[in-house]
Each structure stands twice: as structure tokens, then as C-alpha cells.
Coordinates of all heavy atoms in Angstrom, one line a residue:
M1 N 85.8 126.5 70.1 CA 86.1 127.1 71.4 C 86.7 128.5 71.3 O 86.5 129.4 72.1 CB 86.9 126.3 72.3 CG 86.2 125.0 72.8 SD 87.2 123.7 73.6 CE 87.6 124.7 75.2
I2 N 87.6 128.6 70.4 CA 88.2 129.9 70.0 C 87.2 130.9 69.8 O 87.3 132.1 70.2 CB 89.2 129.7 69.0 CG1 90.4 128.8 69.4 CG2 89.7 131.1 68.4 CD1 91.3 128.5 68.5
A3 N 86.2 130.6 68.7 CA 85.2 131.5 68.4 C 84.4 131.8 69.7 O 84.0 133.1 69.7 CB 84.3 130.8 67.4
A4 N 84.0 131.0 70.5 CA 83.3 131.5 71.7 C 84.1 132.4 72.5 O 83.5 133.4 73.1 CB 83.0 130.1 72.5
A5 N 85.3 132.2 72.8 CA 86.1 133.1 73.5 C 86.1 134.5 72.9 O 86.1 135.4 73.6 CB 87.6 132.6 73.7
A6 N 86.4 134.4 71.5 CA 86.4 135.7 70.8 C 85.1 136.5 70.8 O 85.1 137.6 71.1 CB 86.8 135.5 69.4
Y7 N 84.0 135.7 70.8 CA 82.7 136.3 71.0 C 82.6 137.1 72.4 O 82.0 138.2 72.5 CB 81.6 135.4 70.8 CG 80.2 135.9 71.0 CD1 79.7 136.8 70.0 CD2 79.5 135.6 72.1 CE1 78.4 137.2 70.2 CE2 78.2 136.1 72.3 CZ 77.7 137.0 71.4 OH 76.4 137.5 71.4
I8 N 83.0 136.3 73.4 CA 82.8 136.9 74.6 C 83.7 138.2 74.9 O 83.2 139.2 75.4 CB 83.4 135.9 75.8 CG1 82.4 134.7 75.8 CG2 83.5 136.6 77.2 CD1 82.8 133.5 76.7
E9 N 85.0 138.3 74.2 CA 85.7 139.5 74.4 C 85.1 140.5 73.4 O 85.1 141.6 73.8 CB 87.1 139.1 73.7 CG 87.9 138.2 74.8 CD 88.1 138.6 76.2 OE1 88.4 140.0 76.3 OE2 87.9 138.0 77.0
W10 N 84.5 140.1 72.4 CA 83.8 141.0 71.4 C 82.7 141.9 72.2 O 82.5 142.9 72.1 CB 83.4 140.5 70.2 CG 82.7 141.3 69.3 CD1 83.1 142.4 68.5 CD2 81.2 141.4 68.9 NE1 82.2 143.0 67.8 CE2 81.0 142.4 68.2 CE3 80.1 140.6 69.6 CZ2 79.8 142.7 67.6 CZ3 78.9 141.0 69.0 CH2 78.7 141.9 68.2
K11 N 81.9 141.0 73.0 CA 80.8 141.5 73.7 C 81.3 142.5 74.8 O 80.6 143.4 75.2 CB 80.0 140.4 74.3 CG 79.2 139.6 73.3 CD 78.1 140.3 72.7 CE 76.9 140.4 73.6 NZ 75.7 141.0 73.1
K12 N 82.5 142.3 75.3 CA 82.9 143.1 76.3 C 83.5 144.5 75.8 O 83.8 145.5 76.4 CB 84.2 142.5 77.1 CG 83.8 141.4 77.9 CD 85.2 141.0 78.6 CE 85.2 139.6 79.0 NZ 86.4 139.2 79.6
G13 N 83.6 144.6 74.3 CA 84.1 145.7 73.7 C 85.5 145.8 73.5 O 86.1 146.7 73.2
L14 N 86.2 144.6 73.5 CA 87.5 144.5 73.1 C 87.8 143.9 71.7 O 88.8 143.2 71.5 CB 88.1 143.5 74.1 CG 88.0 143.9 75.6 CD1 88.5 142.9 76.6 CD2 88.6 145.2 75.9
E15 N 87.0 144.3 70.8 CA 87.2 143.7 69.4 C 88.4 144.3 68.7 O 88.9 143.6 67.8 CB 86.0 144.1 68.6 CG 85.9 145.6 68.2 CD 85.1 146.4 69.2 OE1 84.6 145.7 70.3 OE2 84.8 147.5 68.9
N16 N 89.1 145.3 69.3 CA 90.4 145.6 68.6 C 91.7 145.2 69.3 O 92.8 145.7 69.0 CB 90.4 147.3 68.6 CG 89.4 147.8 67.7 OD1 89.1 147.2 66.6 ND2 88.8 148.8 68.1
V17 N 91.6 144.1 70.2 CA 92.6 143.7 70.9 C 93.3 142.8 69.9 O 92.8 141.8 69.3 CB 92.2 143.0 72.2 CG1 93.4 142.2 72.9 CG2 91.6 143.9 73.2
Q18 N 94.7 142.9 69.8 CA 95.5 142.0 69.0 C 96.7 141.5 69.7 O 97.2 142.3 70.7 CB 96.0 142.8 67.8 CG 94.8 143.2 66.8 CD 95.3 144.0 65.5 OE1 96.4 144.3 65.5 NE2 94.3 144.3 64.7
A19 N 97.4 140.5 69.3 CA 98.6 140.1 69.8 C 99.6 141.0 69.4 O 99.7 141.6 68.4 CB 98.9 138.7 69.4
G20 N 100.6 141.1 70.3 CA 101.9 142.0 70.0 C 102.7 141.4 69.0 O 102.6 140.1 68.7
L21 N 103.4 142.2 68.4 CA 104.4 141.7 67.3 C 105.5 140.7 67.9 O 106.2 140.0 67.0 CB 105.0 142.8 66.6 CG 104.1 143.8 65.8 CD1 104.8 144.8 65.2 CD2 103.3 142.9 64.7
D22 N 105.7 140.7 69.2 CA 106.7 139.8 69.8 C 106.1 138.4 70.0 O 107.0 137.5 70.6 CB 107.2 140.4 71.1 CG 106.1 140.6 72.1 OD1 104.9 140.7 71.7 OD2 106.4 140.7 73.3
L23 N 104.9 138.2 69.7 CA 104.3 136.8 69.7 C 105.0 135.9 68.8 O 105.2 136.3 67.6 CB 102.9 136.9 69.5 CG 102.1 135.5 69.7 CD1 102.1 135.0 71.1 CD2 100.8 135.6 69.3
N24 N 105.6 134.8 69.3 CA 106.4 134.0 68.5 C 105.6 132.5 68.4 O 105.6 131.7 69.3 CB 107.7 133.7 69.1 CG 108.6 133.1 68.1 OD1 108.3 132.9 67.0 ND2 109.9 132.7 68.5
A25 N 105.0 132.2 67.2 CA 104.3 130.9 66.9 C 105.4 129.8 66.9 O 106.4 130.0 66.3 CB 103.5 131.2 65.7
K26 N 105.0 128.6 67.2 CA 105.8 127.4 67.2 C 105.0 126.3 66.5 O 104.3 125.5 67.1 CB 106.2 127.0 68.6 CG 107.0 127.9 69.3 CD 107.6 127.5 70.5 CE 108.4 128.5 71.2 NZ 108.8 128.0 72.5
P27 N 104.9 126.4 65.0 CA 104.1 125.4 64.4 C 104.5 123.9 64.6 O 103.7 123.1 64.3 CB 104.2 125.8 62.9 CG 105.5 126.6 62.9 CD 105.6 127.2 64.3
S28 N 105.7 123.6 65.0 CA 106.0 122.1 65.1 C 105.8 121.7 66.6 O 106.3 120.6 66.8 CB 107.6 122.1 64.7 OG 108.4 122.9 65.7
L29 N 105.2 122.6 67.4 CA 105.0 122.1 68.9 C 104.0 120.9 68.8 O 102.9 121.0 68.0 CB 104.4 123.1 69.5 CG 104.2 123.0 71.1 CD1 105.5 122.8 71.8 CD2 103.4 124.3 71.5
V30 N 104.4 119.9 69.5 CA 103.7 118.5 69.6 C 102.7 118.6 70.8 O 103.2 118.9 72.0 CB 104.6 117.4 69.6 CG1 103.8 116.1 69.8 CG2 105.4 117.4 68.4
F31 N 101.4 118.3 70.7 CA 100.5 118.1 71.9 C 100.7 116.7 72.5 O 100.7 115.8 71.7 CB 99.1 118.4 71.4 CG 98.7 119.9 71.1 CD1 98.6 120.3 69.8 CD2 98.6 120.7 72.1 CE1 98.4 121.5 69.5 CE2 98.3 122.1 71.8 CZ 98.2 122.4 70.4
E32 N 100.9 116.7 73.6 CA 101.1 115.5 74.4 C 99.6 114.7 74.7 O 98.7 115.6 75.1 CB 101.9 115.4 75.5 CG 103.3 115.8 75.1 CD 104.3 116.0 76.4 OE1 103.7 115.8 77.4 OE2 105.5 116.3 76.2
D33 N 99.5 113.5 74.7 CA 98.3 112.9 75.3 C 98.1 113.3 76.8 O 99.0 113.2 77.5 CB 98.2 111.4 75.1 CG 98.3 111.0 73.7 OD1 97.8 111.8 72.8 OD2 98.8 109.9 73.5
M34 N 96.9 113.7 77.2 CA 96.5 113.9 78.5 C 95.9 112.8 79.2 O 95.2 112.1 78.8 CB 95.6 115.1 78.5 CG 96.1 116.3 78.0 SD 95.2 117.7 78.5 CE 96.3 119.0 78.4

């Protein structure tokens, strides 16, 4: 799904869009059952 979203953005001409340096990853975040 991530690749599909990236492809759509690339087709729009936004291949150079990147997250800002203030983006803070949380590797210990737990996904809850839906």
C-alpha cells in the first residue's frame, strides 16, 4: 500500500517530497486490534 501511494504521488510530479527533519519516529508504538 505504501508503494501504491508513493506511485500516485510520483505520477503527480511530487517525487522530491520528503518528510521534514522534525518528524519523530516511534519504533516502540504498538498497534491495537481493530
Side-chain angles (χ1 to χ4, degrees):
M1 291 175 66
I2 294 171
Y7 176 75
I8 291 168
E9 294 301 313
W10 178 75
K11 288 292 280 185
K12 289 186 207 176
L14 301 176
E15 67 270 5
N16 292 324
V17 174
Q18 295 179 355
L21 294 176
D22 60 339
L23 182 64
N24 196 7
K26 296 181 182 179
S28 63
L29 187 64
V30 177
F31 288 104
E32 296 178 359
D33 294 336
M34 295 189 152

